[in-house]
């Protein structure tokens, strides 16, 4: 897998360190006895991040699942996001934290946020491991961000190209000639 990467952006140790810091930031906001928090991961890219993040949270929480289909092509260009499978828990008057791997254009997260906001949660916040400031709207509502990155297609740590590379523990830039 490594030979398909142009370079490594974040080695696994740096990711783990930042995930622990993010969990501490989240804990400060929700408090240590936040029994009511429901975490809604945006599948499938967030699964590795989610697994690491929630094990660093020192309070009770539940996971609510919903499925969004993203871009149809192999990379971010083209295609749309739409709701495929609805949430499996009632979030009315509950604190909700959306967890996603990357905020790129924001199309996917906007759909998720709109869906959830309509169900009148007590609060709605969003946490992403990566954000591309060159693409994401400046005012996009996201409360927790792991790393801001350049506008390059990245894989690893849950992020995929054609469903591959999710199990690569580092995050790296995919060699452009592989998807051009
Ligand atoms: P939008 O544009 O809706 O994109 O914010 C969000 C979703 O698109 C995927 N995405 C990527 N996946 N490397 C990936 O492996 C990338 O650089 C990338 N940019 C966007 C991802 O699933 C994300 O949740």
């Amino acid at each position: 897998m490594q030979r398909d990467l142009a370079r490594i952006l974040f080695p696994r140790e740096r990711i783990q360190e930042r995930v622990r810091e993010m969990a501490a930031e989240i804990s400060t906001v929700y408090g240590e006895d936040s029994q009511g928090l429901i975490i809604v991961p945006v599948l499938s890219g967030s699964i590795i991040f989610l697994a690491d993040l929630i094990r660093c949270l020192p309070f009770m929480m539940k996971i609510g699942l919903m499925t969004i289909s993203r871009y149809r092509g192999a990379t971010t260009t083209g295609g749309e996001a739409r709701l495929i499978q609805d949430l499996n828990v009632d979030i009315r008057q509950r604190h909700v934290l959306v967890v996603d791997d990357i905020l790129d254009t924001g199309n996917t997260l906007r759909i998720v946020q709109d869906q959830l906001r309509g169900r009148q949660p007590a609060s709605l916040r969003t946490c992403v491991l990566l954000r591309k400031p060159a693409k994401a709207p400046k005012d996009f509502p996201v409360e927790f961000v792991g790393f801001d990155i350049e506008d390059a297609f990245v894989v690893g740590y849950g992020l995929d190209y054609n469903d591959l590379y999710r199990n690569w523990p580092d995050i790296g830039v995919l060699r452009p000639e592989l998807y051009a």
Side-chain angles (χ1 to χ4, degrees), residues 2 19 29 41 60 72 74 93 95 115 143 146 150 158-159 165:
Q2 191 165 3
V19 169
V29 170
M60 307 280 271
R72 278 192 218 98
Q93 297 308 321
H95 294 289
Q115 284 285 336
E143 286 74 18
E150 65 203 87
L159 292 138
Y165 307 103

Side-chain angles (χ1 to χ4, degrees), residues 70-71 76 100-109 132 152-155 159-161:
R70 273 45 106 98
Y71 52 88
T76 48
D100 202 358
D101 53 356
I102 185 166
L103 171 60
D104 192 301
T105 63
N107 291 340
T108 310
L109 273 172
K132 293 183 183 174
F153 195 78
V154 294
V155 294
L159 292 138
D160 74 299
Y161 169 71

Side-chain angles (χ1 to χ4, degrees), residues 7-106:
R7 65 188 182 284
I8 300 217
L9 269 189
F10 302 109
R12 58 203 78 181
E13 298 80 12
R14 179 69 189 113
I15 299 170
Q16 294 304 325
E17 182 184 39
R18 185 68 190 119
V19 169
R20 281 195 295 273
E21 289 170 0
M22 293 180 81
E25 292 166 24
I26 291 167
S27 303
T28 304
V29 170
Y30 289 103
E32 290 201 359
D33 61 347
S34 182
Q35 302 245 355
L37 183 62
I38 296 178
I39 294 193
V40 178
V42 183
L43 301 175
S44 306
S46 67
I47 52 175
I48 311 273
F49 176 41
L50 175 81
D52 284 345
L53 182 72
I54 62 174
R55 284 180 290 173
C56 296
L57 295 177
F59 49 73
M60 307 280 271
M61 45 129 307
K62 289 183 177 175
I63 293 177
L65 292 178
M66 71 193 299
T67 310
I68 301 282
S69 92
R70 273 45 106 98
Y71 52 88
R72 278 192 218 98
T75 68
T76 48
T77 46
E80 283 181 3
R82 66 194 170 92
L83 182 67
I84 297 285
Q85 192 184 328
D86 204 357
L87 199 61
N88 64 343
V89 291
D90 185 7
I91 60 166
R92 198 181 163 85
Q93 297 308 321
R94 308 292 298 272
H95 294 289
V96 174
L97 178 66
V98 177
V99 171
D100 202 358
D101 53 356
I102 185 166
L103 171 60
D104 192 301
T105 63

Side-chain angles (χ1 to χ4, degrees), residues 155-169:
V155 294
Y157 197 69
L159 292 138
D160 74 299
Y161 169 71
N162 262 346
D163 259 328
L164 296 172
Y165 307 103
R166 287 194 204 278
N167 59 325
W168 182 249

